[in-house]
Amino acid sequence: MPNAIDFYFDFGSPYGYFASTVIDDLAARHGRGVDWHPVLLDTVFKTTGATPLPLIPLKGAYSVRDVERTARFHKIAFRKPDNFPVPTQNAARAMLWAQSAKGDEMSVRLARAIFQAAFVDNRNISDTAVLAELASGLGLDGAALLDGVQSAAIKEQLRAETDLAMAKGVFGSPFVIVDGEPFWGFDRLDQVEALLRDGRV
Amino acid sequence: MPNAIDFYFDFGSPYGYFASTVIDDLAARHGRGVDWHPVLLDTVFKTTGATPLPLIPLKGAYSVRDVERTARFHKIAFRKPDNFPVPTQNAARAMLWAQSAKGDEMSVRLARAIFQAAFVDNRNISDTAVLAELASGLGLDGAALLDGVQSAAIKEQLRAETDLAMAKGVFGSPFVIVDGEPFWGFDRLDQVEALLRDGRV
């Protein structure tokens, strides 16, 4: 079986959410799995000196419009969260905790539930009680999640995962790496698919 | 006849060049004309505080790869210029001069020739002698162009055109406005087409 493709995202990124709704099917059409990697864009932006899109003059107002329009264009359920942007450390740690406790598949189910909570159901995903509730809904131990997201091991793992992503060239969300080839942005998934299909783009 | 759509670009922007190769046909498929507007991203970025893509850590190296890959993906002739980025005041002024001297159609022909020179033929489009040669190739008066790009009137016009573009929300290249709806990026032309076709997106 060929290598899985790597999918990097921040739970606060609307374009990361959009990619999360299609990436597994896209990869599966070409016999590939997907490794999901939550990262912290705040940390990445501190390193690259980039400014979060919503805070840039002109671009910020445009980005709100572009997100809503892009969701409609691709027929993806979306509701702009009342709290945006939100800190995403807890959400990312919750996913890493689920992965270590229950494996990749369950961690991806939790990631989907978190994205849906944030960008469809207008829940505050920085709130650990919300994360525990989402986990419980999947049959996970919500109390164990609350401990997990506060553990030194999970905190250190998220730092290391974000550093590793940057070392591989990741600077935004979503970011996809296929056999060493990097793609930034939901709007590059057409090129990701071309590479998977044709072996080149 | 419905309103023309507005197409803003900087002559140094590869994605602006990509858009220039398809925008007229795209609009014509839906009974629209295109008004071409050269602007200076340097001036825009000074206002918005944005950093030119090639100068951002990680993003800069990626952007070179993305430009070349995107050209291949869309089958657009492209060769990375040896001098990149280049100042584009002279190119933008040359286009405005051609417009005032010979009208919109000739100015768009000159714009296409400038883009081709920059991004296919590896010419230095900051060099007024190159611009005069391109103009002469279209039957324009190259010596008059040399005077034109130095005239106070054309310089002032470019400043005003760039200010006007920013007032309309333009912050990057390419930028397209259709009946008041703004679109940033070559990768949003699919949404531009949806709006032209369906009246909404």
Side-chain angles (χ1 to χ4, degrees), chain B residues 29-83:
Chain B
R29 283 196 291 277
H30 305 283
R32 302 280 194 125
V34 180
D35 288 341
W36 290 45
H37 304 277
V39 296
L40 291 182
L41 276 193
D42 270 359
T43 304
V44 173
F45 286 1
K46 266 175 207 145
T47 299
T48 62
T51 307
L53 199 54
L55 305 183
I56 300 174
L58 294 181
K59 252 181 176 166
Y62 173 83
S63 72
V64 172
R65 184 193 285 248
D66 184 63
V67 164
E68 297 185 331
R69 196 171 58 198
T70 296
R72 288 196 302 273
F73 183 71
H74 291 279
K75 300 184 174 30
I76 298 169
F78 176 78
R79 180 203 191 287
K80 185 174 182 295
D82 289 332
N83 294 310

Side-chain angles (χ1 to χ4, degrees), chain A residues 94-110 135 138-142 144-145 154:
Chain A
M95 181 178 177
L96 295 180
W97 166 81
Q99 188 176 36
S100 63
K102 297 289 175 179
D104 288 340
E105 190 181 334
M106 181 54 88
S107 74
V108 169
R109 289 181 62 195
L110 181 60
L138 296 171
L140 291 165
D141 181 343
L145 177 143
I154 292 290

Side-chain angles (χ1 to χ4, degrees), chain A residues 13-37:
Chain A
S13 159
Y15 303 105
Y17 158 62
F18 297 162
S20 78
T21 67
V22 298
I23 193 74
D24 279 349
D25 286 349
L26 190 165
R29 283 197 289 277
H30 305 282
R32 301 283 192 124
V34 179
D35 287 342
W36 290 45
H37 303 278

Side-chain angles (χ1 to χ4, degrees), chain A residues 15 44 47-51 53 56-60 62-63 65-66 69-70 72-74 166 169-171 175 180-185 187-188 190-191 194 197 200-201, chain B residues 15 44 47-51 53 56-60 62-63 65-66 69-70 72-74 166 169-171 175 180-185 187-188 190-191 194 197 200-201:
Chain A
Y15 303 105
V44 173
T47 300
T48 61
T51 305
L53 199 53
I56 300 174
L58 294 181
K59 253 181 175 165
Y62 173 84
S63 71
R65 184 193 284 250
D66 184 64
R69 196 170 58 197
T70 296
R72 288 195 302 273
F73 183 72
H74 291 279
M166 284 191 282
V170 173
F171 57 80
F175 206 99
E181 183 79 12
F183 297 88
W184 171 43
D187 40 32
R188 287 298 179 275
D190 52 358
Q191 295 189 25
R197 185 184 57 230
R200 59 181 296 278
V201 59
Chain B
Y15 303 106
V44 173
T47 299
T48 62
T51 307
L53 199 54
I56 300 174
L58 294 181
K59 252 181 176 166
Y62 173 83
S63 72
R65 184 193 285 248
D66 184 63
R69 196 171 58 198
T70 296
R72 288 196 302 273
F73 183 71
H74 291 279
M166 283 191 283
V170 172
F171 58 79
F175 206 99
E181 182 80 11
F183 298 88
W184 171 44
D187 39 33
R188 287 298 177 276
D190 51 359
Q191 296 189 24
R197 185 185 58 230
R200 58 182 297 278
V201 59

Side-chain angles (χ1 to χ4, degrees), chain B residues 144-163:
Chain B
L145 177 143
L146 292 176
D147 289 341
V149 299
Q150 294 305 330
S151 75
I154 292 291
K155 289 181 181 179
E156 179 50 34
Q157 188 186 342
L158 179 56
R159 265 193 297 274
E161 296 275 9
T162 300
D163 283 349

